[in-house]
Amino acid sequence: MNSLESKKGFNSTNLKIIALILMLLDHIQYFLGPALNIPIWFRWLGRISAPLFIFTLVEGINHTHNKYLYMLRLYISFLFMGIFNIIVANKFPSLNNLSLSNNIFGTLFLIAYYTYCIRNITDNSGRTPTYKKILSIILFIIPFASSYIANVLSDTSVSKVIVTIIPSIFYVEGSIDFVILGVFMALLSHDRSKQLLFYVVFSSLLMFVAIADGGFNFTNLFMLRFQWLMIFAVVPMHFYNNQKGKGYKYLFYVFYPLHIYILYILSTLI
C-alpha cells in the first residue's frame, strides 16, 4: 500500500471531531430540547458519538508509549468532572439535574483499565511476572466492589463520594454495557473485521432487547429506546485509515465538560 492510499479515509483526529460534533447535537437536544422544541433526531445522531470515542480510545491504548500516564489522565479527568458535577448541580439546581454518571471519562478509564488488567492476566509469553498478574486480578475486582458498596449504601452522601472517586462499573456513563463493548473492541483490535463484526452484533442485540421490551414500533425504537442506532458508527470506523492525524490531545478533555456545564446551566435559565 502506498502512502497516499494509507491516508484515505478518516484518521483518529477526524473521528474525534465527528464524535464531538454529534455529541454536541445530542446534548443540545438532551438539555434544551423540551424548552426549545429541538427535534429528537439530534439524539439519534448522537448515538454515534460515544462509540467513536471508544474506538479512538482503543487505538490510543494500543499506540500510546505510556499506558499508565494515559490511564492517569483519564482518571484525573473523571475525578475533577465528578467533583464539578456536584458543584454545578448545587449552584444551579434543576429537575433535569446533573448526574454523577454524566461523566464519560469514567467509562473510558474503565475500558483502558480493564484492557490492561485482562492483557496482564492472560499473558502467556512470560513477560508479565506473577505478582503483576495477581495485582491485576485484585484491580479487576475493585470497580465491581465499589459499585456493590455504593448500591448497598443507596443514595447517601457516602455512596456519592465512592462513585465520585472510584469509577464504579455500574455507575459510569453507559454502565457495564459500554465497558464490555470497549474492552472487547480493544481485545479484537488486532483484527479489524472481527472487531467491527463484534460491534455490529453488540449494537444489534441492543435493538433486539428494545423490541423484546417494548415491541417493534416507531415510538419504542425511535422515541424511547434508540441506543441501537449506534450501529451506524460502524461506517466511519470501517473507513479509519490507521493514522493519528493532528491529535489535538487535550481538545476533548476541555470541550466535553465545558459544553456539558454550559448547556446544563442554560437549561436551568430558560
Side-chain angles (χ1 to χ4, degrees), residues 68 71 109-110 112-118 120-121 128 131-147 166-169 179:
Y68 301 110
M71 288 189 287
F109 169 78
L110 284 183
Y113 174 93
Y114 274 121
T115 300
Y116 171 80
C117 289
I118 291 171
N120 283 341
I121 294 168
T128 305
Y131 82 88
K132 204 169 187 178
K133 288 177 177 284
I134 295 172
L135 178 60
S136 295
I137 293 172
I138 296 170
L139 291 174
F140 193 97
I141 297 169
I142 291 174
F144 285 96
S146 63
S147 289
I166 303 175
S168 305
I169 198 160
V179 177

PDB file of all heavy atoms in Angstrom, residues 68 71 109-110 112-118 120-121 128 131-147 166-169 179:
ATOM      1  N   TYR A  68       0.288   3.895  31.596  1.00  0.00           N
ATOM      2  CA  TYR A  68      -0.016   4.376  32.946  1.00  0.00           C
ATOM      3  C   TYR A  68      -0.404   5.856  32.922  1.00  0.00           C
ATOM      4  O   TYR A  68      -1.366   6.267  33.571  1.00  0.00           O
ATOM      5  CB  TYR A  68       1.190   4.163  33.867  1.00  0.00           C
ATOM      6  CG  TYR A  68       1.617   2.728  33.995  1.00  0.00           C
ATOM      7  CD1 TYR A  68       2.815   2.282  33.436  1.00  0.00           C
ATOM      8  CD2 TYR A  68       0.819   1.794  34.663  1.00  0.00           C
ATOM      9  CE1 TYR A  68       3.207   0.954  33.538  1.00  0.00           C
ATOM     10  CE2 TYR A  68       1.206   0.467  34.768  1.00  0.00           C
ATOM     11  CZ  TYR A  68       2.395   0.058  34.203  1.00  0.00           C
ATOM     12  OH  TYR A  68       2.773  -1.255  34.299  1.00  0.00           O
ATOM     13  N   MET A  71      -3.890   6.263  31.350  1.00  0.00           N
ATOM     14  CA  MET A  71      -4.981   5.957  32.284  1.00  0.00           C
ATOM     15  C   MET A  71      -5.073   7.003  33.388  1.00  0.00           C
ATOM     16  O   MET A  71      -6.174   7.359  33.821  1.00  0.00           O
ATOM     17  CB  MET A  71      -4.787   4.556  32.886  1.00  0.00           C
ATOM     18  CG  MET A  71      -5.048   3.429  31.905  1.00  0.00           C
ATOM     19  SD  MET A  71      -5.068   1.775  32.680  1.00  0.00           S
ATOM     20  CE  MET A  71      -3.318   1.548  32.993  1.00  0.00           C
ATOM     21  N   PHE A 109     -11.968   5.444  31.158  1.00  0.00           N
ATOM     22  CA  PHE A 109     -10.926   4.967  32.066  1.00  0.00           C
ATOM     23  C   PHE A 109     -11.073   3.467  32.319  1.00  0.00           C
ATOM     24  O   PHE A 109     -10.093   2.719  32.266  1.00  0.00           O
ATOM     25  CB  PHE A 109     -10.987   5.716  33.403  1.00  0.00           C
ATOM     26  CG  PHE A 109     -10.122   5.092  34.465  1.00  0.00           C
ATOM     27  CD1 PHE A 109      -8.749   5.285  34.470  1.00  0.00           C
ATOM     28  CD2 PHE A 109     -10.676   4.278  35.450  1.00  0.00           C
ATOM     29  CE1 PHE A 109      -7.944   4.687  35.444  1.00  0.00           C
ATOM     30  CE2 PHE A 109      -9.888   3.678  36.415  1.00  0.00           C
ATOM     31  CZ  PHE A 109      -8.512   3.881  36.411  1.00  0.00           C
ATOM     32  N   LEU A 110     -12.309   3.011  32.595  1.00  0.00           N
ATOM     33  CA  LEU A 110     -12.516   1.596  32.903  1.00  0.00           C
ATOM     34  C   LEU A 110     -12.211   0.709  31.702  1.00  0.00           C
ATOM     35  O   LEU A 110     -11.731  -0.418  31.869  1.00  0.00           O
ATOM     36  CB  LEU A 110     -13.938   1.354  33.389  1.00  0.00           C
ATOM     37  CG  LEU A 110     -14.238   1.793  34.827  1.00  0.00           C
ATOM     38  CD1 LEU A 110     -15.675   1.435  35.203  1.00  0.00           C
ATOM     39  CD2 LEU A 110     -13.269   1.151  35.823  1.00  0.00           C
ATOM     40  N   ALA A 112      -9.869   1.298  29.413  1.00  0.00           N
ATOM     41  CA  ALA A 112      -8.406   1.205  29.391  1.00  0.00           C
ATOM     42  C   ALA A 112      -7.897   0.345  30.551  1.00  0.00           C
ATOM     43  O   ALA A 112      -7.000  -0.484  30.391  1.00  0.00           O
ATOM     44  CB  ALA A 112      -7.795   2.602  29.450  1.00  0.00           C
ATOM     45  N   TYR A 113      -8.491   0.543  31.712  1.00  0.00           N
ATOM     46  CA  TYR A 113      -8.115  -0.159  32.952  1.00  0.00           C
ATOM     47  C   TYR A 113      -8.331  -1.662  32.819  1.00  0.00           C
ATOM     48  O   TYR A 113      -7.431  -2.466  33.110  1.00  0.00           O
ATOM     49  CB  TYR A 113      -8.967   0.435  34.063  1.00  0.00           C
ATOM     50  CG  TYR A 113      -8.894  -0.182  35.435  1.00  0.00           C
ATOM     51  CD1 TYR A 113      -8.004   0.308  36.383  1.00  0.00           C
ATOM     52  CD2 TYR A 113      -9.766  -1.199  35.822  1.00  0.00           C
ATOM     53  CE1 TYR A 113      -7.978  -0.200  37.675  1.00  0.00           C
ATOM     54  CE2 TYR A 113      -9.749  -1.717  37.104  1.00  0.00           C
ATOM     55  CZ  TYR A 113      -8.853  -1.220  38.028  1.00  0.00           C
ATOM     56  OH  TYR A 113      -8.844  -1.731  39.300  1.00  0.00           O
ATOM     57  N   TYR A 114      -9.522  -2.061  32.354  1.00  0.00           N
ATOM     58  CA  TYR A 114      -9.817  -3.493  32.231  1.00  0.00           C
ATOM     59  C   TYR A 114      -9.049  -4.139  31.092  1.00  0.00           C
ATOM     60  O   TYR A 114      -8.670  -5.310  31.182  1.00  0.00           O
ATOM     61  CB  TYR A 114     -11.321  -3.713  32.073  1.00  0.00           C
ATOM     62  CG  TYR A 114     -12.034  -3.800  33.396  1.00  0.00           C
ATOM     63  CD1 TYR A 114     -13.040  -2.922  33.733  1.00  0.00           C
ATOM     64  CD2 TYR A 114     -11.675  -4.775  34.327  1.00  0.00           C
ATOM     65  CE1 TYR A 114     -13.680  -2.991  34.960  1.00  0.00           C
ATOM     66  CE2 TYR A 114     -12.307  -4.850  35.557  1.00  0.00           C
ATOM     67  CZ  TYR A 114     -13.301  -3.960  35.865  1.00  0.00           C
ATOM     68  OH  TYR A 114     -13.923  -4.033  37.087  1.00  0.00           O
ATOM     69  N   THR A 115      -8.810  -3.392  30.025  1.00  0.00           N
ATOM     70  CA  THR A 115      -7.985  -3.932  28.941  1.00  0.00           C
ATOM     71  C   THR A 115      -6.585  -4.234  29.456  1.00  0.00           C
ATOM     72  O   THR A 115      -6.013  -5.297  29.170  1.00  0.00           O
ATOM     73  CB  THR A 115      -7.915  -2.929  27.775  1.00  0.00           C
ATOM     74  OG1 THR A 115      -9.234  -2.685  27.282  1.00  0.00           O
ATOM     75  CG2 THR A 115      -7.050  -3.468  26.652  1.00  0.00           C
ATOM     76  N   TYR A 116      -6.052  -3.311  30.247  1.00  0.00           N
ATOM     77  CA  TYR A 116      -4.722  -3.501  30.846  1.00  0.00           C
ATOM     78  C   TYR A 116      -4.722  -4.734  31.764  1.00  0.00           C
ATOM     79  O   TYR A 116      -3.817  -5.586  31.676  1.00  0.00           O
ATOM     80  CB  TYR A 116      -4.347  -2.252  31.629  1.00  0.00           C
ATOM     81  CG  TYR A 116      -3.109  -2.384  32.476  1.00  0.00           C
ATOM     82  CD1 TYR A 116      -1.842  -2.277  31.909  1.00  0.00           C
ATOM     83  CD2 TYR A 116      -3.204  -2.611  33.854  1.00  0.00           C
ATOM     84  CE1 TYR A 116      -0.699  -2.406  32.694  1.00  0.00           C
ATOM     85  CE2 TYR A 116      -2.066  -2.740  34.640  1.00  0.00           C
ATOM     86  CZ  TYR A 116      -0.823  -2.638  34.057  1.00  0.00           C
ATOM     87  OH  TYR A 116       0.306  -2.776  34.832  1.00  0.00           O
ATOM     88  N   CYS A 117      -5.728  -4.844  32.634  1.00  0.00           N
ATOM     89  CA  CYS A 117      -5.796  -5.973  33.572  1.00  0.00           C
ATOM     90  C   CYS A 117      -5.903  -7.310  32.841  1.00  0.00           C
ATOM     91  O   CYS A 117      -5.186  -8.272  33.156  1.00  0.00           O
ATOM     92  CB  CYS A 117      -6.995  -5.818  34.506  1.00  0.00           C
ATOM     93  SG  CYS A 117      -6.842  -4.511  35.737  1.00  0.00           S
ATOM     94  N   ILE A 118      -6.799  -7.382  31.856  1.00  0.00           N
ATOM     95  CA  ILE A 118      -7.032  -8.639  31.138  1.00  0.00           C
ATOM     96  C   ILE A 118      -5.801  -9.058  30.348  1.00  0.00           C
ATOM     97  O   ILE A 118      -5.440 -10.244  30.317  1.00  0.00           O
ATOM     98  CB  ILE A 118      -8.265  -8.504  30.222  1.00  0.00           C
ATOM     99  CG1 ILE A 118      -9.540  -8.404  31.071  1.00  0.00           C
ATOM    100  CG2 ILE A 118      -8.376  -9.702  29.268  1.00  0.00           C
ATOM    101  CD1 ILE A 118     -10.781  -8.056  30.293  1.00  0.00           C
ATOM    102  N   ASN A 120      -2.742  -8.404  31.101  1.00  0.00           N
ATOM    103  CA  ASN A 120      -1.766  -8.908  32.064  1.00  0.00           C
ATOM    104  C   ASN A 120      -2.123 -10.321  32.520  1.00  0.00           C
ATOM    105  O   ASN A 120      -1.265 -11.214  32.583  1.00  0.00           O
ATOM    106  CB  ASN A 120      -1.699  -7.993  33.290  1.00  0.00           C
ATOM    107  CG  ASN A 120      -0.913  -6.729  33.033  1.00  0.00           C
ATOM    108  OD1 ASN A 120      -0.132  -6.654  32.095  1.00  0.00           O
ATOM    109  ND2 ASN A 120      -1.123  -5.720  33.864  1.00  0.00           N
ATOM    110  N   ILE A 121      -3.396 -10.529  32.861  1.00  0.00           N
ATOM    111  CA  ILE A 121      -3.842 -11.821  33.397  1.00  0.00           C
ATOM    112  C   ILE A 121      -3.694 -12.936  32.360  1.00  0.00           C
ATOM    113  O   ILE A 121      -3.333 -14.064  32.701  1.00  0.00           O
ATOM    114  CB  ILE A 121      -5.312 -11.714  33.873  1.00  0.00           C
ATOM    115  CG1 ILE A 121      -5.412 -10.759  35.073  1.00  0.00           C
ATOM    116  CG2 ILE A 121      -5.868 -13.083  34.255  1.00  0.00           C
ATOM    117  CD1 ILE A 121      -6.834 -10.365  35.428  1.00  0.00           C
ATOM    118  N   THR A 128       4.992 -11.018  31.703  1.00  0.00           N
ATOM    119  CA  THR A 128       4.255 -10.448  32.832  1.00  0.00           C
ATOM    120  C   THR A 128       4.519 -11.284  34.071  1.00  0.00           C
ATOM    121  O   THR A 128       4.115 -12.452  34.131  1.00  0.00           O
ATOM    122  CB  THR A 128       2.739 -10.413  32.543  1.00  0.00           C
ATOM    123  OG1 THR A 128       2.505  -9.707  31.327  1.00  0.00           O
ATOM    124  CG2 THR A 128       1.997  -9.736  33.684  1.00  0.00           C
ATOM    125  N   TYR A 131       3.438 -11.601  40.185  1.00  0.00           N
ATOM    126  CA  TYR A 131       2.894 -10.587  41.094  1.00  0.00           C
ATOM    127  C   TYR A 131       2.015  -9.599  40.345  1.00  0.00           C
ATOM    128  O   TYR A 131       1.005  -9.119  40.871  1.00  0.00           O
ATOM    129  CB  TYR A 131       4.028  -9.854  41.831  1.00  0.00           C
ATOM    130  CG  TYR A 131       4.670  -8.735  41.050  1.00  0.00           C
ATOM    131  CD1 TYR A 131       4.148  -7.436  41.093  1.00  0.00           C
ATOM    132  CD2 TYR A 131       5.806  -8.956  40.264  1.00  0.00           C
ATOM    133  CE1 TYR A 131       4.726  -6.397  40.379  1.00  0.00           C
ATOM    134  CE2 TYR A 131       6.382  -7.932  39.539  1.00  0.00           C
ATOM    135  CZ  TYR A 131       5.845  -6.652  39.601  1.00  0.00           C
ATOM    136  OH  TYR A 131       6.407  -5.636  38.888  1.00  0.00           O
ATOM    137  N   LYS A 132       2.375  -9.307  39.099  1.00  0.00           N
ATOM    138  CA  LYS A 132       1.604  -8.372  38.298  1.00  0.00           C
ATOM    139  C   LYS A 132       0.266  -8.987  37.895  1.00  0.00           C
ATOM    140  O   LYS A 132      -0.760  -8.294  37.822  1.00  0.00           O
ATOM    141  CB  LYS A 132       2.391  -7.970  37.055  1.00  0.00           C
ATOM    142  CG  LYS A 132       1.980  -6.633  36.460  1.00  0.00           C
ATOM    143  CD  LYS A 132       2.988  -6.197  35.408  1.00  0.00           C
ATOM    144  CE  LYS A 132       2.693  -4.791  34.925  1.00  0.00           C
ATOM    145  NZ  LYS A 132       3.690  -4.328  33.920  1.00  0.00           N
ATOM    146  N   LYS A 133       0.248 -10.291  37.636  1.00  0.00           N
ATOM    147  CA  LYS A 133      -0.998 -10.982  37.317  1.00  0.00           C
ATOM    148  C   LYS A 133      -1.935 -10.973  38.525  1.00  0.00           C
ATOM    149  O   LYS A 133      -3.138 -10.719  38.398  1.00  0.00           O
ATOM    150  CB  LYS A 133      -0.708 -12.427  36.896  1.00  0.00           C
ATOM    151  CG  LYS A 133      -0.053 -12.580  35.528  1.00  0.00           C
ATOM    152  CD  LYS A 133       0.251 -14.050  35.249  1.00  0.00           C
ATOM    153  CE  LYS A 133       0.850 -14.243  33.863  1.00  0.00           C
ATOM    154  NZ  LYS A 133      -0.138 -14.153  32.780  1.00  0.00           N
ATOM    155  N   ILE A 134      -1.386 -11.233  39.716  1.00  0.00           N
ATOM    156  CA  ILE A 134      -2.193 -11.237  40.942  1.00  0.00           C
ATOM    157  C   ILE A 134      -2.737  -9.837  41.218  1.00  0.00           C
ATOM    158  O   ILE A 134      -3.914  -9.667  41.557  1.00  0.00           O
ATOM    159  CB  ILE A 134      -1.358 -11.740  42.136  1.00  0.00           C
ATOM    160  CG1 ILE A 134      -0.983 -13.207  41.929  1.00  0.00           C
ATOM    161  CG2 ILE A 134      -2.130 -11.565  43.450  1.00  0.00           C
ATOM    162  CD1 ILE A 134      -0.001 -13.735  42.952  1.00  0.00           C
ATOM    163  N   LEU A 135      -1.875  -8.839  41.053  1.00  0.00           N
ATOM    164  CA  LEU A 135      -2.305  -7.451  41.255  1.00  0.00           C
ATOM    165  C   LEU A 135      -3.420  -7.091  40.268  1.00  0.00           C
ATOM    166  O   LEU A 135      -4.389  -6.420  40.637  1.00  0.00           O
ATOM    167  CB  LEU A 135      -1.125  -6.503  41.069  1.00  0.00           C
ATOM    168  CG  LEU A 135      -1.428  -4.996  41.190  1.00  0.00           C
ATOM    169  CD1 LEU A 135      -1.990  -4.666  42.573  1.00  0.00           C
ATOM    170  CD2 LEU A 135      -0.167  -4.171  40.905  1.00  0.00           C
ATOM    171  N   SER A 136      -3.310  -7.560  39.046  1.00  0.00           N
ATOM    172  CA  SER A 136      -4.324  -7.264  38.031  1.00  0.00           C
ATOM    173  C   SER A 136      -5.663  -7.902  38.377  1.00  0.00           C
ATOM    174  O   SER A 136      -6.720  -7.322  38.118  1.00  0.00           O
ATOM    175  CB  SER A 136      -3.854  -7.748  36.652  1.00  0.00           C
ATOM    176  OG  SER A 136      -2.721  -7.022  36.223  1.00  0.00           O
ATOM    177  N   ILE A 137      -5.636  -9.089  38.989  1.00  0.00           N
ATOM    178  CA  ILE A 137      -6.880  -9.744  39.427  1.00  0.00           C
ATOM    179  C   ILE A 137      -7.543  -8.915  40.520  1.00  0.00           C
ATOM    180  O   ILE A 137      -8.765  -8.718  40.524  1.00  0.00           O
ATOM    181  CB  ILE A 137      -6.590 -11.178  39.924  1.00  0.00           C
ATOM    182  CG1 ILE A 137      -6.140 -12.063  38.749  1.00  0.00           C
ATOM    183  CG2 ILE A 137      -7.834 -11.777  40.598  1.00  0.00           C
ATOM    184  CD1 ILE A 137      -5.641 -13.435  39.170  1.00  0.00           C
ATOM    185  N   ILE A 138      -6.739  -8.423  41.459  1.00  0.00           N
ATOM    186  CA  ILE A 138      -7.265  -7.575  42.538  1.00  0.00           C
ATOM    187  C   ILE A 138      -7.847  -6.288  41.963  1.00  0.00           C
ATOM    188  O   ILE A 138      -8.950  -5.860  42.324  1.00  0.00           O
ATOM    189  CB  ILE A 138      -6.162  -7.258  43.570  1.00  0.00           C
ATOM    190  CG1 ILE A 138      -5.704  -8.542  44.266  1.00  0.00           C
ATOM    191  CG2 ILE A 138      -6.663  -6.241  44.608  1.00  0.00           C
ATOM    192  CD1 ILE A 138      -4.470  -8.373  45.129  1.00  0.00           C
ATOM    193  N   LEU A 139      -7.109  -5.668  41.038  1.00  0.00           N
ATOM    194  CA  LEU A 139      -7.578  -4.427  40.403  1.00  0.00           C
ATOM    195  C   LEU A 139      -8.878  -4.672  39.631  1.00  0.00           C
ATOM    196  O   LEU A 139      -9.752  -3.801  39.583  1.00  0.00           O
ATOM    197  CB  LEU A 139      -6.507  -3.882  39.464  1.00  0.00           C
ATOM    198  CG  LEU A 139      -5.231  -3.333  40.115  1.00  0.00           C
ATOM    199  CD1 LEU A 139      -4.200  -2.969  39.049  1.00  0.00           C
ATOM    200  CD2 LEU A 139      -5.548  -2.124  40.983  1.00  0.00           C
ATOM    201  N   PHE A 140      -9.004  -5.854  39.044  1.00  0.00           N
ATOM    202  CA  PHE A 140     -10.194  -6.208  38.265  1.00  0.00           C
ATOM    203  C   PHE A 140     -11.453  -6.139  39.122  1.00  0.00           C
ATOM    204  O   PHE A 140     -12.532  -5.746  38.658  1.00  0.00           O
ATOM    205  CB  PHE A 140     -10.027  -7.631  37.711  1.00  0.00           C
ATOM    206  CG  PHE A 140     -11.023  -7.998  36.646  1.00  0.00           C
ATOM    207  CD1 PHE A 140     -10.697  -7.898  35.307  1.00  0.00           C
ATOM    208  CD2 PHE A 140     -12.285  -8.460  36.983  1.00  0.00           C
ATOM    209  CE1 PHE A 140     -11.609  -8.235  34.318  1.00  0.00           C
ATOM    210  CE2 PHE A 140     -13.211  -8.794  36.004  1.00  0.00           C
ATOM    211  CZ  PHE A 140     -12.871  -8.681  34.670  1.00  0.00           C
ATOM    212  N   ILE A 141     -11.326  -6.489  40.393  1.00  0.00           N
ATOM    213  CA  ILE A 141     -12.482  -6.588  41.289  1.00  0.00           C
ATOM    214  C   ILE A 141     -12.941  -5.225  41.805  1.00  0.00           C
ATOM    215  O   ILE A 141     -14.129  -5.027  42.090  1.00  0.00           O
ATOM    216  CB  ILE A 141     -12.137  -7.521  42.477  1.00  0.00           C
ATOM    217  CG1 ILE A 141     -11.854  -8.934  41.958  1.00  0.00           C
ATOM    218  CG2 ILE A 141     -13.253  -7.543  43.513  1.00  0.00           C
ATOM    219  CD1 ILE A 141     -11.259  -9.855  43.017  1.00  0.00           C
ATOM    220  N   ILE A 142     -12.012  -4.277  41.941  1.00  0.00           N
ATOM    221  CA  ILE A 142     -12.304  -3.006  42.631  1.00  0.00           C
ATOM    222  C   ILE A 142     -13.518  -2.267  42.077  1.00  0.00           C
ATOM    223  O   ILE A 142     -14.394  -1.865  42.851  1.00  0.00           O
ATOM    224  CB  ILE A 142     -11.055  -2.105  42.649  1.00  0.00           C
ATOM    225  CG1 ILE A 142      -9.984  -2.712  43.562  1.00  0.00           C
ATOM    226  CG2 ILE A 142     -11.411  -0.691  43.117  1.00  0.00           C
ATOM    227  CD1 ILE A 142      -8.658  -1.977  43.553  1.00  0.00           C
ATOM    228  N   PRO A 143     -13.653  -2.041  40.756  1.00  0.00           N
ATOM    229  CA  PRO A 143     -14.837  -1.308  40.263  1.00  0.00           C
ATOM    230  C   PRO A 143     -16.156  -2.026  40.536  1.00  0.00           C
ATOM    231  O   PRO A 143     -17.192  -1.375  40.709  1.00  0.00           O
ATOM    232  CB  PRO A 143     -14.570  -1.181  38.755  1.00  0.00           C
ATOM    233  CG  PRO A 143     -13.080  -1.263  38.635  1.00  0.00           C
ATOM    234  CD  PRO A 143     -12.681  -2.267  39.671  1.00  0.00           C
ATOM    235  N   PHE A 144     -16.134  -3.368  40.574  1.00  0.00           N
ATOM    236  CA  PHE A 144     -17.336  -4.119  40.933  1.00  0.00           C
ATOM    237  C   PHE A 144     -17.653  -3.933  42.413  1.00  0.00           C
ATOM    238  O   PHE A 144     -18.809  -3.750  42.797  1.00  0.00           O
ATOM    239  CB  PHE A 144     -17.154  -5.609  40.621  1.00  0.00           C
ATOM    240  CG  PHE A 144     -17.245  -5.948  39.176  1.00  0.00           C
ATOM    241  CD1 PHE A 144     -16.104  -6.062  38.400  1.00  0.00           C
ATOM    242  CD2 PHE A 144     -18.481  -6.158  38.571  1.00  0.00           C
ATOM    243  CE1 PHE A 144     -16.187  -6.380  37.051  1.00  0.00           C
ATOM    244  CE2 PHE A 144     -18.584  -6.475  37.227  1.00  0.00           C
ATOM    245  CZ  PHE A 144     -17.425  -6.589  36.465  1.00  0.00           C
ATOM    246  N   ALA A 145     -16.597  -3.989  43.233  1.00  0.00           N
ATOM    247  CA  ALA A 145     -16.781  -3.838  44.675  1.00  0.00           C
ATOM    248  C   ALA A 145     -17.314  -2.454  45.018  1.00  0.00           C
ATOM    249  O   ALA A 145     -18.212  -2.315  45.866  1.00  0.00           O
ATOM    250  CB  ALA A 145     -15.460  -4.090  45.400  1.00  0.00           C
ATOM    251  N   SER A 146     -16.780  -1.429  44.370  1.00  0.00           N
ATOM    252  CA  SER A 146     -17.243  -0.066  44.659  1.00  0.00           C
ATOM    253  C   SER A 146     -18.694   0.108  44.228  1.00  0.00           C
ATOM    254  O   SER A 146     -19.476   0.790  44.902  1.00  0.00           O
ATOM    255  CB  SER A 146     -16.355   0.965  43.971  1.00  0.00           C
ATOM    256  OG  SER A 146     -16.412   0.836  42.561  1.00  0.00           O
ATOM    257  N   SER A 147     -19.098  -0.538  43.120  1.00  0.00           N
ATOM    258  CA  SER A 147     -20.493  -0.480  42.675  1.00  0.00           C
ATOM    259  C   SER A 147     -21.409  -1.160  43.686  1.00  0.00           C
ATOM    260  O   SER A 147     -22.493  -0.661  43.999  1.00  0.00           O
ATOM    261  CB  SER A 147     -20.649  -1.162  41.314  1.00  0.00           C
ATOM    262  OG  SER A 147     -20.056  -0.406  40.295  1.00  0.00           O
ATOM    263  N   ILE A 166     -14.096   6.694  42.761  1.00  0.00           N
ATOM    264  CA  ILE A 166     -13.769   5.388  42.181  1.00  0.00           C
ATOM    265  C   ILE A 166     -14.714   5.118  41.017  1.00  0.00           C
ATOM    266  O   ILE A 166     -15.922   5.023  41.220  1.00  0.00           O
ATOM    267  CB  ILE A 166     -13.905   4.249  43.215  1.00  0.00           C
ATOM    268  CG1 ILE A 166     -13.018   4.516  44.429  1.00  0.00           C
ATOM    269  CG2 ILE A 166     -13.549   2.903  42.578  1.00  0.00           C
ATOM    270  CD1 ILE A 166     -13.191   3.492  45.538  1.00  0.00           C
ATOM    271  N   PRO A 167     -14.194   5.001  39.797  1.00  0.00           N
ATOM    272  CA  PRO A 167     -15.079   4.660  38.675  1.00  0.00           C
ATOM    273  C   PRO A 167     -15.734   3.301  38.934  1.00  0.00           C
ATOM    274  O   PRO A 167     -15.064   2.275  38.951  1.00  0.00           O
ATOM    275  CB  PRO A 167     -14.124   4.603  37.479  1.00  0.00           C
ATOM    276  CG  PRO A 167     -12.938   5.418  37.877  1.00  0.00           C
ATOM    277  CD  PRO A 167     -12.801   5.197  39.358  1.00  0.00           C
ATOM    278  N   SER A 168     -17.025   3.305  39.171  1.00  0.00           N
ATOM    279  CA  SER A 168     -17.764   2.102  39.541  1.00  0.00           C
ATOM    280  C   SER A 168     -18.494   1.570  38.316  1.00  0.00           C
ATOM    281  O   SER A 168     -19.232   2.312  37.662  1.00  0.00           O
ATOM    282  CB  SER A 168     -18.756   2.420  40.665  1.00  0.00           C
ATOM    283  OG  SER A 168     -18.069   3.009  41.761  1.00  0.00           O
ATOM    284  N   ILE A 169     -18.317   0.317  38.017  1.00  0.00           N
ATOM    285  CA  ILE A 169     -18.683  -0.213  36.707  1.00  0.00           C
ATOM    286  C   ILE A 169     -20.160  -0.094  36.374  1.00  0.00           C
ATOM    287  O   ILE A 169     -20.542  -0.006  35.214  1.00  0.00           O
ATOM    288  CB  ILE A 169     -18.196  -1.677  36.556  1.00  0.00           C
ATOM    289  CG1 ILE A 169     -18.181  -2.078  35.084  1.00  0.00           C
ATOM    290  CG2 ILE A 169     -19.028  -2.616  37.417  1.00  0.00           C
ATOM    291  CD1 ILE A 169     -17.316  -3.254  34.774  1.00  0.00           C
ATOM    292  N   VAL A 179     -18.588  -0.529  28.878  1.00  0.00           N
ATOM    293  CA  VAL A 179     -17.262  -1.023  29.294  1.00  0.00           C
ATOM    294  C   VAL A 179     -16.968  -2.345  28.594  1.00  0.00           C
ATOM    295  O   VAL A 179     -15.870  -2.550  28.062  1.00  0.00           O
ATOM    296  CB  VAL A 179     -17.193  -1.185  30.825  1.00  0.00           C
ATOM    297  CG1 VAL A 179     -15.828  -1.765  31.229  1.00  0.00           C
ATOM    298  CG2 VAL A 179     -17.412   0.154  31.522  1.00  0.00           C
TER     299      VAL A 179
END
